[in-house]
Amino acid sequence: MNAVNQQHENAQAVTSMTMIQALRSAMDVMLERDDNVVVFGQDVGYFGGVFRCTEGLQKKYGTSRVFDAPISESGIIGAAVGMGAYGLRPVVEIQFADYVYPATDQLVSEAARIRYRSVNDFTVPMVVRMPCGGGIYGGQTHSQSPEAMFTQVCGLRTVMPSNPYDAKGLLIACIENDDPVIFLEPKRLYNGPFDGHHDRPVTPWSKHPASQVPEGYYSVPLDKAAIARPGNELTVLTYGTTVYVAQTAAEETGIDAEIIDLRSLWPLDLDTIVESVKKTGRCVIVHEATRTCGYGAELMSLVQEHCFHHLEAPIARVTGWDTPYPHAQEWDYFPGPARVGAAFKRAMEV
Amino acid sequence: MTDYAPLRLHVPEPTGRPGCKTDFSYLHLSPAGEVRKPAIDVEPAQTTDLAFSLVRVLDDQGNAVGPWAPELSHEQLLRGMRLMLKTRIFDARMLTAQRQKKMSFYMQCLGEEAIATAHTMALRDGDMTFPTYRQQGILITRDYPLKDMICQLLSNEQDPLKGRQLPIMYSSREKGFFSISGNLATQFIQAVGWGMASAIKGDTKISSAWIGDGATAESDFHTALTFAHVYRAPVILNVVNNQWAISTFQAIAGGEGTTFANRGVGCGIASLRVDGNDFLAVYAASQWAAERARRGHGPSLIEWVTYRAGPHSTSDDPSKYRPADDWTNFPLGDPIARLKQHLIGLGIWSDEQQEALQKELEAEVIAAQKQAERHGSLVDGHVFSAANLFDDVYKDLPEHLRRQRQELGV
């Protein structure tokens, strides 16, 4: 939990929330606070979203603030760009990150560029929420992690929370931010933390301290990483579900890893990364997304550029394989604690 | 043995190629004054006939006839002439400047001047337009300074877009002219979103979306129609059918045997097909659609039938794919000549006045060009400092861009 926001917590009632409830609470708070905030997407209105993230919002704020959209990703994003140009703050949902591709033109060519190409004449203060990630037997089109498609687009911000507290605080920060933001939500973490041990029952968020979420307004700063586990032997750069995988791998291997939950993928918190790697001299990068040209490659480059003389071992990556996300082979694909732990050990042996 | 002959792929072709004459009978023109004018709250399904006929006001003698003849004062009509002529003179002058290598690129709207100017005259201040690169008439109608347009074209030290955009990709929030993108059709759905926003806020402003015939094949054309219909957005969806998408005849965009206006009806949007070279028809149809949108009756789609008289751009040579004299055979003529005939018929205009106006506007454009050229150009290196190339990617300069700026040493 973030010390910066301690004052907010002290000032208001705190409730145990799942990630779903925390995200819904963030949208509720911002719909209440700012008349220009509108929420829409496929099944988002009356039904409250296929993941329940917008449940009750339409009833509370009316159909002109929270509404259902046609099944058209480029239509949803394109309309939101126009609304942003008018002066609204659209918070739109793409049902699965796997289905964002039809909107690529609107995101890359338009949302990301309009401020630049118009010299601030027009801006797009938009948030695009999209459930991402695997580990749920989602197969090829319900499991992808397309963050590298966005981190390489200049003008976009890409953010991914890993717990209810951050989910609400980061989403509020993103809605208030004047840049277009891709807000990736690991659906594997919607109902509880998950460390890759699919053979064990999943614990609900209520057993985890980060489920304690203030009911009202607070924010978690963008471009600021969190140290999920302090350590001295090895730096782990990760985000989303693999934060918990890395924590479990550290426990199981007994390696004193410093696990950094990046939270903001791009722009990112380089200082925290560099400080940690300079301290530990070793770095392992973990993400679910496929390896080649994945976001991990950029992290490797940055660490190599900024920490070269401090490195005592090659930087390692544990990622999804360079294959489409399979269904039956879920746990051979997903980078679980065994694979991550093995990488930790190799990094220490060099 | 089979009863079926081998299937063959149909690839549409224009009737006129270089050295031939185009058969324009495919246009299906209606005589001036013949097409009915429905109430602004017409049910979209009741506009099917309008989507297949052609709203025209000016007849061959230049008389304004039929139910669409708008009530325009002499002053407004003369203003229309001035705006169209100014647009054409501006284009001609900038074409020359490009040929003189003063600017890297230009696109004219020769032959299409009536559409953007008359349409914009029918809008109100505060209505937002989402133009393509061929609606410079909107900026001219809204009195955006010619000097600023030319500074943008020259990418010079006073370029409002600081040299970041290709020439002609103007942007002016103040004049209700949305930032032009090189990516086709994207603005069509954005205009719908803007209209939805106006409705969400209980505003009375409307938006005006623009697309060419070729770009209707892009997916955002369809998203725009669907969203406009679903949310009854206060938007005018303008399809400028100038028959050509660079070298591609409109039949290969899907115009063969149908109309672009008909796409609107199919999506439940009231649709009109209008003579785009008839200033009075453009004004009347735009006013009808604007009123329909502003009264909350929903979107309209208008197909403007016109002809791209000039090359697609300064990088294009149309003599390689269409007859050189095609425009002179286009049955809807020249919008400026047609309005001039009407004004002379009204007894408020003459050849001498036309000539005098031509000279006055030429002098105005030349003066603006001289003013703009004082601030340099891309060619002489008087462009915005490289330091600004890192600004406005995000609202605030992020750390990595600060470092990259330092790396460039600016």
Side-chain angles (χ1 to χ4, degrees), chain A residues 21-37:
Chain A
Q21 290 163 334
L23 293 164
R24 181 167 64 222
S25 177
M27 285 183 270
D28 191 357
V29 164
M30 290 312 293
L31 280 161
E32 179 81 45
R33 261 175 96 89
D34 186 344
D35 286 344
N36 289 324
V37 172

Side-chain angles (χ1 to χ4, degrees), chain B residues 10-183:
Chain B
H10 174 66
V11 181
E13 270 291 313
T15 53
R17 285 298 193 187
C20 319
K21 195 167 180 245
T22 300
D23 174 5
F24 282 108
S25 64
Y26 73 89
L27 286 174
H28 298 292
L29 307 179
S30 313
E34 278 215 349
V35 174
R36 70 190 176 93
K37 184 176 184 181
I40 58 158
D41 61 351
V42 65
E43 286 297 321
Q46 304 306 313
T47 62
T48 307
D49 59 320
L50 299 166
F52 281 103
S53 46
L54 194 71
V55 172
R56 303 175 72 190
V57 171
L58 291 171
D59 66 14
D60 292 344
Q61 285 72 47
N63 300 309
V65 296
W68 286 92
E71 287 177 16
L72 276 166
S73 67
H74 290 171
E75 195 190 354
Q76 285 173 301
L77 288 169
L78 293 171
R79 179 162 176 249
M81 172 55 79
R82 172 178 282 267
L83 292 170
M84 284 200 287
L85 204 54
K86 193 166 164 180
T87 305
R88 182 167 296 180
I89 291 166
F90 182 79
D91 274 358
R93 189 81 200 170
M94 295 306 111
L95 183 68
T96 304
Q98 195 279 334
R99 295 301 185 220
Q100 293 167 337
K101 298 188 164 41
K102 287 178 175 174
M103 58 188 65
S104 61
F105 180 73
Y106 194 71
M107 294 174 109
Q108 298 171 269
C109 66
L110 184 64
E112 303 174 30
E113 295 90 345
I115 302 167
T117 57
H119 179 85
T120 309
M121 279 177 68
L123 297 178
R124 292 190 172 186
D125 290 346
D127 293 340
M128 184 63 77
T129 64
F130 288 76
T132 76
Y133 45 67
R134 226 185 289 281
Q135 276 79 47
Q136 49 267 57
I138 294 172
L139 280 177
I140 286 171
T141 305
R142 286 186 160 169
D143 292 321
Y144 186 76
L146 295 183
K147 184 208 137 202
D148 291 354
M149 289 175 83
I150 301 170
C151 286
Q152 196 281 327
L153 296 170
L154 295 170
S155 298
N156 68 15
E157 287 170 342
Q158 296 237 324
D159 173 2
L161 304 182
K162 299 189 176 182
R164 292 181 193 156
Q165 274 275 49
L166 268 182
I168 66 142
M169 304 279 189
Y170 312 107
S171 173
S172 173
R173 173 184 279 274
E174 191 200 342
K175 296 296 182 186
F177 189 95
F178 186 71
S179 157
I180 296 177
S181 169
N183 296 71

Side-chain angles (χ1 to χ4, degrees), chain A residues 98 101 132-134 139-140 143-149 151 160 239 242 265 285-300 317-326 332-335 339:
Chain A
D98 314 62
Y101 307 118
C132 69
Q140 295 190 22
S143 307
Q144 295 169 36
S145 298
E147 60 269 21
M149 296 236 341
T151 50
M160 193 191 300
Y239 47 89
T242 46
L265 305 193
I285 293 154
V286 188
H287 62 55
E288 287 183 56
T290 52
R291 183 168 302 167
T292 303
C293 299
Y295 177 60
E298 184 61 34
L299 292 172
M300 281 183 108
R317 276 185 288 185
V318 190
T319 67
W321 308 118
D322 282 339
T323 69
Y325 206 112
D332 294 310
Y333 179 94
F334 183 90
R339 266 173 66 200

Side-chain angles (χ1 to χ4, degrees), chain A residues 110-159:
Chain A
E110 300 293 321
R113 305 279 165 82
I114 285 171
R115 179 191 294 279
Y116 189 74
R117 76 174 195 231
S118 73
V119 187
N120 267 319
D121 208 16
F122 295 95
T123 60
V124 184
M126 165 179 85
V127 178
V128 184
R129 294 180 40 242
M130 55 185 104
C132 69
I136 54 148
Y137 283 104
Q140 295 190 22
T141 56
H142 299 82
S143 307
Q144 295 169 36
S145 298
E147 60 269 21
M149 296 236 341
F150 305 114
T151 50
Q152 67 139 329
V153 179
C154 46
L156 292 182
R157 291 179 173 275
T158 304
V159 173

Side-chain angles (χ1 to χ4, degrees), chain B residues 218-234:
Chain B
E218 292 281 5
S219 57
D220 279 340
F221 174 70
H222 305 274
T223 65
L225 267 57
T226 301
F227 278 62
H229 165 68
V230 167
Y231 299 108
R232 211 172 291 171

Side-chain angles (χ1 to χ4, degrees), chain B residues 9-14 17 26 213-218 241 243-257 260 263:
Chain B
L9 182 70
H10 174 66
V11 181
E13 270 291 313
R17 285 298 193 187
Y26 73 89
D213 48 290
T216 61
E218 292 281 5
N241 181 2
Q243 318 305 321
W244 292 96
I246 308 185
S247 73
T248 311
F249 182 56
Q250 60 101 32
I252 218 147
E256 195 173 69
F260 294 100
R263 312 283 209 274

Side-chain angles (χ1 to χ4, degrees), chain A residues 151-221:
Chain A
T151 50
Q152 67 139 329
V153 179
C154 46
L156 292 182
R157 291 179 173 275
T158 304
V159 173
M160 193 191 300
S162 68
N163 62 66
Y165 182 89
D166 282 356
K168 178 172 174 179
L170 286 170
L171 182 53
I172 287 174
C174 290
I175 296 170
E176 288 187 316
N177 191 278
D178 291 328
D179 299 319
V181 188
I182 304 297
F183 193 85
L184 292 155
E185 302 167 2
K187 58 186 141 356
R188 177 70 245 199
L189 301 180
Y190 269 163
N191 292 303
F194 177 69
D195 64 5
H197 278 298
H198 53 95
D199 43 337
R200 299 177 193 161
V202 175
T203 52
W205 275 116
S206 56
K207 304 265 200 287
H208 193 282
S211 69
Q212 296 303 301
V213 176
E215 287 175 6
Y217 172 89
Y218 70 96
S219 64
V220 169

